[in-house]
Amino acid sequence: MTSFASTGTVDSGRQVHFQAQLLNAVEQAIIATDLAGVVTYWNRCAERLYGWAAEEALGRNILELNIPPEGLPQAEEIMDCLRAGKMWSGDVILRHKDGHSFPVQVTDSPVLDDGGQMVGIVGISMEIGDRVRTLAALTSSEERLRIAQHAGGIGTFEWNIRSGEVMVTEEFCRIWGIGQHTSIRVGAFEEFTHPDDRDLLATSLARPLEDLIGYTEYRIIRQDDRQVRWLARRGEIVRNEAGEPSRVIGAVYDITDRKRAEEQRQLLMQELAHRVKNTLAMVQAISTQTMRSAASLEEAGTIFGERLTALARANDTLLQENWSSASIRVIVEGAIQSHNDHGRIHCSGPDIRLGPKAALALSLALHELCTNAAKYGALSMETGQVEITWHVAGDKDAALFRFRWQESGGPPVKAPERKGFGSRLIERSLAGSFGGQAGIRYEPTGIVWSIETPLSALQEPSSG
């Protein structure tokens, strides 16, 4: 078939007609103007796209036809670029005959005659509303995904095994503390990971890939603040047509708070076991000594119950402080409460924190002192008084804690011929535990019990 454009026998009229039909058949709007912007050609797609018939458009300035008022400055810049002999391509907002605007992709080029002189401008344009809406929806979807990932603290990645590039998200970068990246070389992750956990990386050669991409927990060293953080990772292998791994897609999230909570729970369970063990040992000792020294089973039951009450009261005080320490003032006031209904026990001293072991021992010792004073000592007579004082001498590591119980106004006192469990507890409870000096003196005016021990020893947490 002979082309109209290649034969010299076809008249110019038929050739122009063919060219017009050819331009009308394409699916893009084609518009030609002179250098002043006056329309010289307007194909059928331009009629459909902009709403102007060719007869209406020909001879009119293009700026009047499809340029909205707000787009005139940009249109003038484009015309200046074209008149300078340069091509221009981009997305613009143009106007339909009925007044509505829509996005259009435009490519404009200068038209030159046979002598290379610029004689006009030709433009090809196509409506891109669907593409813009698709991109907008995609952008919105990506933004929602980004927000969701940030809210959930989940970072995602895609590792191209062949190229070694790992595509990462904004939240992924934040979790690892590596600044904003879209891709990272796979070898960099070994540097970011805790040395003891590098064999757990999906890129590790220590184990098959299939064994590594499942749920894994490992530590990283954040690059911005050098914090050690725990991460959890889940991944899936994507295989090529040959069934070989080509990509790994997965997610990571920070589980540091959970790991710390687990460690705390473990410590608490160990501490609880230790507390129960010590408490049971103390109850067993109290029971054995009470039964051994009591005159009758009924007396043993009463004394044992009172001692357990004192122990429980001290435990309650410690529980309110999560078993970390207790105020000496609270311990003293709790121990003497049931014996001080007439206000004959007087306390003074600074508020000092005692460790759990010291708090329990002091509470039990005060219970025995109060019980003995009520039965045989100062509190057995209406004129009797008890002075409880304590203070700290020295500073820091050299600080000494001194505690004194002194009775007065009671019956004459003499040393007992046989010391029971209560007396031994009073004498040894703190001194035996912390290496201090303690003693009870049976002075004629009343019992005096005193103790001197390093303050640091009283404030130490109990040990197993």
Side-chain angles (χ1 to χ4, degrees):
M1 182 176 180
T2 303
S3 169
F4 286 128
S6 62
T7 177
T9 62
V10 179
D11 62 63
S12 59
R14 292 185 62 190
Q15 185 172 351
V16 169
H17 178 72
F18 171 76
Q19 290 173 345
Q21 287 183 316
L22 182 66
L23 294 178
N24 280 329
V26 300
E27 292 300 319
Q28 289 83 31
I30 300 177
I31 302 172
T33 72
D34 61 18
L35 295 180
V38 175
V39 176
T40 58
Y41 181 77
W42 189 275
N43 76 342
R44 289 177 184 170
C45 186
E47 291 182 329
R48 294 194 300 270
L49 184 60
Y50 298 109
W52 298 94
E55 293 79 6
E56 297 175 296
L58 293 174
R60 297 185 62 177
N61 195 291
I62 190 67
L63 300 182
E64 301 175 359
L65 293 174
N66 59 0
I67 307 297
E70 63 273 14
L72 287 174
Q74 183 187 21
E76 293 288 359
E77 292 177 3
I78 294 172
M79 292 296 290
D80 290 341
C81 174
L82 294 166
R83 291 183 185 114
K86 300 177 182 178
M87 187 183 74
W88 186 92
S89 181
D91 297 343
V92 295
I93 301 297
L94 295 182
R95 183 177 60 182
H96 191 272
K97 180 180 179 181
D98 64 12
H100 81 271
S101 299
F102 51 94
V104 179
Q105 184 183 62
V106 174
T107 299
D108 290 334
S109 301
V111 177
L112 307 179
D113 62 13
D114 293 339
Q117 185 70 26
M118 183 175 176
V119 294
I121 299 167
V122 63
I124 301 174
S125 57
M126 60 182 296
E127 198 266 340
I128 56 172
D130 289 342
R131 189 181 78 183
V132 169
R133 285 187 289 272
T134 300
L135 289 174
L138 179 60
T139 300
S140 177
S141 177
E142 290 176 346
E143 179 65 10
R144 287 196 298 271
L145 178 61
R146 186 192 67 80
I147 293 172
Q149 288 183 352
H150 180 72
I154 300 173
T156 58
F157 65 91
E158 182 177 338
W159 170 31
N160 186 315
I161 297 175
R162 182 175 181 178
S163 69
E165 288 293 320
V166 182
M167 304 300 293
V168 294
T169 60
E170 178 183 340
E171 186 64 14
F172 183 99
C173 295
R174 188 197 65 78
I175 291 172
W176 286 74
I178 54 176
Q180 292 303 311
H181 297 273
T182 55
S183 68
I184 302 172
R185 293 296 300 175
V186 71
F189 289 99
E190 184 171 345
E191 176 188 350
F192 304 156
T193 306
H194 193 284
D196 294 341
D197 294 344
R198 287 173 182 168
D199 62 321
L200 299 175
L201 287 173
T203 57
S204 172
L205 299 177
R207 285 184 284 167
L209 179 61
E210 287 79 1
D211 295 342
L212 290 168
I213 55 88
Y215 181 81
T216 308
E217 297 178 358
Y218 57 94
R219 288 163 294 176
I220 66 168
I221 303 174
R222 284 174 51 89
Q223 297 303 289
D224 52 2
D225 55 19
R226 307 306 296 174
Q227 285 188 21
V228 176
R229 308 289 292 181
W230 276 96
L231 299 189
R233 182 194 68 232
R234 293 184 184 274
E236 292 288 341
I237 297 175
V238 178
R239 301 180 182 276
N240 58 22
E241 295 179 355
E244 300 170 338
S246 61
R247 292 177 296 151
V248 172
I249 299 175
V252 297
Y253 44 98
D254 194 312
I255 59 170
T256 305
D257 291 343
R258 195 198 79 195
K259 298 294 283 189
R260 288 174 179 169
E262 289 175 355
E263 292 173 2
Q264 184 66 21
R265 281 196 299 271
Q266 183 65 27
L267 289 174
L268 287 175
M269 291 301 295
Q270 294 174 356
E271 183 68 11
L272 178 60
H274 169 68
R275 300 289 181 207
V276 171
K277 178 182 176 181
N278 282 354
T279 300
L280 289 176
M282 186 174 292
V283 170
Q284 183 179 27
I286 292 174
S287 173
T288 301
Q289 294 296 335
T290 301
M291 297 299 292
R292 182 180 298 169
S293 59
S296 65
L297 188 60
E298 290 76 11
E299 182 185 13
T302 300
I303 296 173
F304 182 62
E306 292 173 350
R307 287 170 175 167
L308 285 186
T309 299
L311 181 63
R313 185 165 48 241
N315 273 279
D316 287 342
T317 301
L318 287 167
L319 282 173
Q320 293 174 8
E321 301 288 345
N322 293 322
W323 268 87
S324 58
S325 64
S327 162
I328 187 173
R329 187 174 299 280
V330 174
I331 291 294
V332 171
E333 290 177 352
I336 68 174
Q337 182 179 6
S338 60
H339 298 276
N340 198 29
D341 52 345
H342 297 294
R344 291 187 289 143
I345 304 178
H346 311 282
C347 308
S348 64
D351 197 8
I352 299 168
R353 307 298 296 184
L354 300 181
K357 191 172 184 179
L360 288 174
L362 180 60
S363 180
L364 288 172
L366 289 173
H367 167 73
E368 296 298 330
L369 286 166
C370 287
T371 301
N372 287 346
K375 288 182 177 180
Y376 317 111
L379 298 182
S380 67
M381 300 181 64
E382 293 183 0
T383 57
Q385 303 283 325
V386 176
E387 290 288 337
I388 301 175
T389 59
W390 65 88
H391 68 279
V392 177
D395 296 323
K396 298 182 179 179
D397 294 340
L400 286 177
F401 172 79
R402 294 190 176 99
F403 189 94
R404 182 181 179 88
W405 165 289
Q406 183 169 4
E407 299 180 24
S408 61
V413 175
K414 63 178 182 178
E417 296 179 1
R418 183 175 65 90
K419 293 182 178 180
F421 173 65
S423 298
R424 290 194 298 273
L425 176 65
I426 293 170
E427 287 186 292
R428 304 171 187 171
S429 60
L430 294 181
S433 299
F434 307 109
Q437 298 178 358
I440 184 168
R441 301 195 308 274
Y442 299 94
E443 298 181 358
T445 56
I447 288 177
V448 176
W449 178 69
S450 61
I451 185 165
E452 181 178 297
T453 190
L455 178 63
S456 60
L458 294 177
Q459 294 178 330
E460 288 180 357
S462 59
S463 58

